[in-house]
């Protein structure tokens, strides 16, 4: 029995209905911590090369963070990992809510799932025991009904359910997972992997608290965060307005993606922002296990036209932008309904919105027409097409079947040079942040191991001046010098590298970026105090950042085994061309050559070989990953 | 005078409910100095002067109009 970690990993083989328990030693947890550290260990130990993402050899791991389930503040998260059917690279997505903590309380640090069930099943884990149960009566149900049915048939309304909706069952390549109907492992199509395994849900119930070494110290940190969260502007803003606050600012700055990124200024941005949301439809501010920030939106609509059920939570900035301005749609009520459908069917809002906007662009350009869209007028701003399209995509019906594979596959089917309208990296569509004003975000999109991702590292605006919160907060790990938001040089590369290690550690610990620096309030020294108080380890930020580096190296190795190379670490062409329209009209794109040189520099700094796109042997040895060194290729060691 | 409009959560830092502040123009007034006067240099993320996006070293002139938005990332 450990502190923070439990000491047990559940191994499930769905093909032969076998369940085993592995009990790693403490050293294992000190190396891999939790979350994607543990996840990649099992992914790499099981099968590695050129896996079929929808086949039985695509090992899938659910791993809460090392601190998840303790009373530490804002650490509710768990990571789900497998090969992504959307990108063909590592799929890795975190979610908050309550499922991760419950799994730890039920007695497991992770679940490793292999094979494929012969018919729909769900996993039931309770107080250290696990069984595979029939789910044929659940197959086809939306997320709300599934959760309700499972809780009812197992006789406990406190059961936490991680599940896929109909979109995952239909293997939509960007199907997501959810817990508590409003917390999502959103990106990379991990819901489709679960669907391919005929695994509908994992139900968990655990009554044993997660043990910590020094509870009083952890409680102290929790109290500090609870007090500060109401005072500090970053956390207060997250609570008051949530991420939708980004709509107004990004629009004013001319970087709110509009009409498939044709421009960055949307005339009706005020109609879809936080102020409107708060005024008309917000009914509650929700949160996650042990988090005082409570940044989640809970919305409700009840009128003759539309109803939106509050149990499905509410939209983030990404959903409002990608389905709103990015599709030319200004009807907030409709966007809330669209968000609800995504949550009921289990669809990643970002790839969904980008797939719709891409189809709209192709339609506007005459590349596709009504005969291919079942008469739906796919024009920017056409509100009538939004909900029917989401239904079609979730069910893989008609045009929905094409769009269900994402924009890259759709472009291959549409042909006629439609690929010029793509905005994806490694096959995953970019989120709603424009790299032309934040080069670090551009590096994140290009370098993130799981495709275009806006939390691979930290965001540039927090590091641009000596007064910046990020600069002050991370000076202790060597980032005390400000770097210009559009810098493409070595200082920016270092900033992205170090903050990618930091974010890696965050994921391995179960930390939510909305509770910790630089995006929010809890400083690094308090997190270190918490790790020591939970585990009893006399650890340091050196050791923790090395763990983050370890995760990154493992991810890189995994991707190389799937055939990815440095050529995949590039930006869509749009971001090398000027911004069009709005207050920053004409602002140049990121210099292509400098950007690509910087990517190469990142590899060198990280200790990765650009020729093989894998970590060098020396780096693997340094990180204690000797088991990943391909001795057949080595000459000198 | 220089007129500053505060948006979103920055309004909480405004003495007036409408989010509008007037400060006196001085020579060599930069956006950075404006932020310091208003105690917003940590949390302002975007500045527009007369409708144009500017960096903090931008020189503000008499009768200029400034819009300030909070820092934002992710979500």
């Amino acid at each position: 029995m450990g502190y923070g970690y439990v000491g047990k990993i559940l191994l499930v083989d769905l093909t032969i209905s076998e369940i085993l328990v592995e009990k790693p030693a403490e050293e294992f947890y000190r190396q891999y911590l939790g979350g994607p550290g543990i996840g990649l260990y099992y992914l790499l130990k099981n099968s590695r090369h050129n896996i079929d993402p929808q086949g039985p050899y695509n090992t899938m791991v659910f791993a809460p963070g090392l601190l998840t389930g303790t009373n530490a503040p804002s650490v509710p998260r768990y990571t789900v990992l497998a090969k992504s059917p959307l990108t063909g690279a590592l799929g890795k997505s975190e979610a908050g809510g309550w499922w991760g903590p419950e799994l730890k309380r039920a007695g497991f640090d992770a679940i490793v799932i292999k094979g494929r069930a012969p018919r729909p099943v769900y996993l039931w884990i309770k107080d250290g025991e696990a069984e595979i149960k029939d789910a044929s009566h659940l197959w086809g149900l939306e997320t709300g009904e599934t959760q309700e049915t499972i809780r009812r048939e197992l006789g406990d309304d406190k059961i936490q359910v991680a599940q896929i909706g109909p979109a995952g069952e239909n293997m939509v390549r960007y199907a997501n997972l959810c817990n508590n109907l409003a917390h999502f492992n959103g990106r990379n199509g991990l819901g489709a992997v679960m669907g391919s395994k005929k695994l509908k849900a994992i139900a968990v119930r655990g009554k044993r608290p997660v043990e910590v070494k020094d509870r009083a110290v952890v409680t102290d940190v929790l109290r500090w965060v609870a007090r500060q969260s109401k005072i500090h502007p970053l956390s207060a803003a997250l609570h008051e307005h949530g991420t939708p606050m980004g709509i107004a600012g990004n629009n004013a700055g001319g970087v709110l993606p509009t009409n498939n990124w044709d421009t960055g200024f949307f005339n009706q941005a005020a109609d879809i922002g936080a102020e409107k949301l708060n005024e008309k439809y917000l009914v509650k501010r929700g949160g996650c296990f042990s988090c005082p920030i409570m940044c989640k939106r809970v919305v409700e609509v009840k009128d003759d036209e539309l109803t939106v059920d509050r149990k499905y939570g509410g939209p983030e900035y990404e959903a409002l932008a990608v389905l709103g301005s990015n599709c030319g749609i200004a009807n907030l009520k409709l966007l809330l309904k669209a968000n609800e459908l995504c949550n009921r069917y289990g669809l990643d809002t970002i790839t969904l919105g980008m797939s719709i906007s891409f189809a709209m662009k192709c339609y506007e350009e005459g590349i596709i027409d009504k005969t291919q869209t079942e008469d739906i007028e796919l024009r920017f701003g056409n509100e009538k097409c939004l909900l029917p399209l989401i239904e079609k995509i979730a069910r893989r019906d008609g045009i929905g079947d094409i769009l269900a594979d994402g924009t890259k596959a759709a472009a291959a089917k549409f042909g006629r040079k439609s690929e010029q309208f793509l905005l994806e990296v490694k096959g995953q569509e970019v989120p709603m942040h424009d790299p032309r004003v934040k080069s670090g975000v551009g590096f994140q999109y290009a370098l993130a191991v799981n495709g275009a991702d806006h939390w691979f590292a930290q965001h540039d605006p927090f590091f641009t001046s000596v007064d910046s919160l990020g600069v002050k907060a991370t000076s202790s790990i060597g980032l005390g010098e400000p770097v210009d938001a559009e810098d493409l040089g070595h200082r920016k590369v270092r900033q992205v590298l170090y903050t990618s290690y930091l974010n890696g550690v965050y994921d391995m610990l179960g930390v939510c970026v909305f509770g910790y620096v630089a995006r929010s309030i809890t400083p690094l020294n308090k997190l270190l105090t918490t790790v020591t108080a939970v585990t009893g380890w006399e650890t340091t930020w050196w050791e923790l950042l090395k763990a983050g580096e370890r995760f990154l190296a493992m991810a890189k190795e995994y991707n190389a085994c799937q055939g990815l190379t440095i050529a995949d670490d590039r930006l869509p062409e749009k971001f090398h061309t000027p911004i069009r329209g709005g207050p920053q009209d004409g602002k140049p794109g990121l210099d292509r050559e400098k950007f690509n040189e910087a990517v190469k520099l990142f590899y060198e700094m990280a200790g990765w070989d650009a020729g093989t796109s894998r970590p060098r042997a020396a780096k693997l040895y340094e990180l204690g990953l000797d088991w990943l060194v391909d001795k057949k290729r080595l000459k000198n060691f | 005078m220089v007129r500053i409009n505060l948006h979103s959560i920055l309004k909480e830092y405004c003495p007036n409910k409408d989010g509008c502040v007037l400060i006196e123009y001085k020579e060599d007034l930069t956006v950075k100095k404006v932020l310091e006067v208003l105690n917003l240099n940590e949390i302002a993320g975007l500045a527009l002067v007369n409708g144009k996006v500017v960096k903090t070293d931008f020189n503000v002139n008499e009768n200029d109009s400034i819009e300030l938005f909070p820092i934002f990332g992710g979500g």
Side-chain angles (χ1 to χ4, degrees), chain A residues 384-520:
Chain A
K384 289 210 281 283
C385 72
L386 191 59
L387 303 183
L389 261 181
I390 297 175
E391 303 270 355
K392 278 173 168 290
I393 288 169
R395 289 196 316 261
R396 280 191 171 277
D397 170 32
I399 183 74
D401 187 35
I402 296 178
L403 297 179
D405 286 338
T407 56
K408 199 169 164 188
K413 288 224 167 87
F414 292 163
R416 305 179 69 193
K417 299 206 184 134
S418 57
E419 65 274 3
Q420 64 183 298
F421 304 122
L422 291 176
L423 286 136
E424 48 79 25
V425 183
K426 302 180 179 70
Q428 174 160 280
E429 296 71 8
V430 300
M432 302 283 100
H433 296 270
D434 197 323
R436 291 170 290 192
V437 298
K438 305 194 228 186
S439 63
V441 169
F443 287 120
Q444 287 191 52
Y445 286 176
L447 287 158
V449 288
N450 55 333
D453 183 304
H454 61 301
W455 272 114
F456 177 64
Q458 294 276 334
H459 280 236
D460 314 59
F462 296 89
F463 296 85
T464 53
S465 88
V466 289
D467 299 315
S468 291
L469 292 162
V471 168
K472 292 195 269 203
T474 59
S475 59
S476 62
I477 59 168
L479 291 172
E481 295 292 315
V483 182
D484 194 68
E486 292 142 35
D487 192 306
L488 288 172
H490 55 91
R491 293 158 73 240
K492 177 68 64 160
V493 174
R494 191 164 149 280
Q495 181 187 96
V496 176
L497 184 70
Y498 282 16
T499 61
S500 74
Y501 295 161
L502 179 64
N503 279 18
V505 180
Y506 280 179
D507 288 338
M508 295 159 95
L509 295 174
V511 161
C512 177
V513 289
F514 288 162
Y516 290 79
V517 297
R519 180 63 181 84
S520 188

Side-chain angles (χ1 to χ4, degrees), chain A residues 50-70:
Chain A
N50 298 309
I51 309 156
D52 172 10
Q54 265 142 212
Y57 300 108
N58 189 7
T59 302
M60 187 172 203
V61 180
F62 287 68
L66 177 65
L67 303 177
T68 301
T70 69

Side-chain angles (χ1 to χ4, degrees), chain A residues 233-234 237 241 243 245-246 249 252-253 316-318 433 438 454-455 459 461-462 467 469 472 484 486 519 584, chain B residues 7-9 11-13 32 36 41-46 48 51-53 55-56 67 69-75:
Chain A
L234 284 183
H241 299 290
T243 61
M245 67 181 273
E316 299 291 339
Y317 161 75
E318 292 289 328
H433 296 270
K438 305 194 228 186
H454 61 301
W455 272 114
H459 280 236
F462 296 89
D467 299 315
L469 292 162
K472 292 195 269 203
D484 194 68
E486 292 142 35
R519 180 63 181 84
Q584 297 213 66
Chain B
H7 294 266
S8 183
I9 53 143
K11 278 195 189 132
E12 326 252 322
Y13 294 78
K32 185 169 174 32
E36 276 162 16
N41 41 10
E42 275 188 350
I43 56 166
L46 174 74
L48 291 109
K52 281 199 130 46
V53 176
K55 295 217 163 32
T56 52
E67 311 290 317
F69 288 83
I71 196 169
F72 177 72

Side-chain angles (χ1 to χ4, degrees), chain A residues 160-175:
Chain A
Q160 297 300 333
V161 179
Q163 58 168 306
I164 55 173
E169 296 171 8
N170 295 331
M171 295 191 282
V172 174
R173 285 197 196 163
Y174 42 97

Side-chain angles (χ1 to χ4, degrees), chain A residues 6-19:
Chain A
V6 179
K8 287 192 186 152
I9 313 277
L10 191 70
L11 308 176
V12 179
D13 189 325
L14 291 174
T15 308
I16 56 175
S17 290
E18 177 188 73
I19 299 180

Side-chain angles (χ1 to χ4, degrees), chain A residues 236-444:
Chain A
L238 279 169
H239 181 72
E240 182 63 29
H241 299 290
T243 61
M245 67 181 273
I247 297 278
N250 279 0
N251 196 55
V255 287
L256 181 67
T258 299
N259 294 354
N260 199 54
W261 290 82
D262 272 353
T263 184
F265 188 79
F266 186 53
N267 279 314
Q268 297 135 293
D271 290 337
I272 62 171
E275 269 159 19
K276 225 355 149 8
L277 189 70
N278 285 7
E279 182 201 336
K280 300 192 90 154
Y281 303 114
L282 191 75
V283 292
K284 198 172 157 222
R285 290 171 174 84
C288 297
F289 179 90
S290 196
C291 180
I293 311 276
M294 297 190 60
C295 69
K296 302 286 284 179
R297 310 294 90 189
V298 180
V299 302
E300 188 172 79
V301 178
K302 270 182 183 165
D303 67 29
D304 297 328
E305 245 185 77
L306 286 172
T307 57
V308 175
D309 192 329
R310 60 166 73 193
K311 73 184 180 195
Y312 294 104
E316 299 291 339
Y317 161 75
E318 292 289 328
L320 291 173
V322 78
L323 291 164
S325 54
N326 188 53
C327 290
I329 289 174
N331 184 336
L332 180 57
K333 202 167 51 171
L334 183 68
L335 297 180
L336 299 184
K337 185 66 185 176
N339 189 67
E340 185 213 65
L341 288 186
C342 289
N343 298 356
R344 284 164 47 191
Y345 300 152
L347 287 162
D348 170 31
T349 48
I350 300 176
T351 296
L352 170 82
M354 287 289 279
S355 297
I356 292 176
S357 70
F358 172 75
M360 284 173 164
K361 182 65 179 173
C362 290
Y363 192 98
E364 298 271 19
E365 295 289 320
I367 289 172
I368 58 174
D369 61 34
K370 263 181 158 169
T371 63
Q372 293 156 282
T373 66
E374 290 86 63
D375 279 349
I376 298 176
E377 283 247 19
L378 276 176
R379 296 201 178 280
F380 291 124
N382 181 10
E383 297 181 6
K384 289 210 281 283
C385 72
L386 191 59
L387 303 183
L389 261 181
I390 297 175
E391 303 270 355
K392 278 173 168 290
I393 288 169
R395 289 196 316 261
R396 280 191 171 277
D397 170 32
I399 183 74
D401 187 35
I402 296 178
L403 297 179
D405 286 338
T407 56
K408 199 169 164 188
K413 288 224 167 87
F414 292 163
R416 305 179 69 193
K417 299 206 184 134
S418 57
E419 65 274 3
Q420 64 183 298
F421 304 122
L422 291 176
L423 286 136
E424 48 79 25
V425 183
K426 302 180 179 70
Q428 174 160 280
E429 296 71 8
V430 300
M432 302 283 100
H433 296 270
D434 197 323
R436 291 170 290 192
V437 298
K438 305 194 228 186
S439 63
V441 169
F443 287 120
Q444 287 191 52

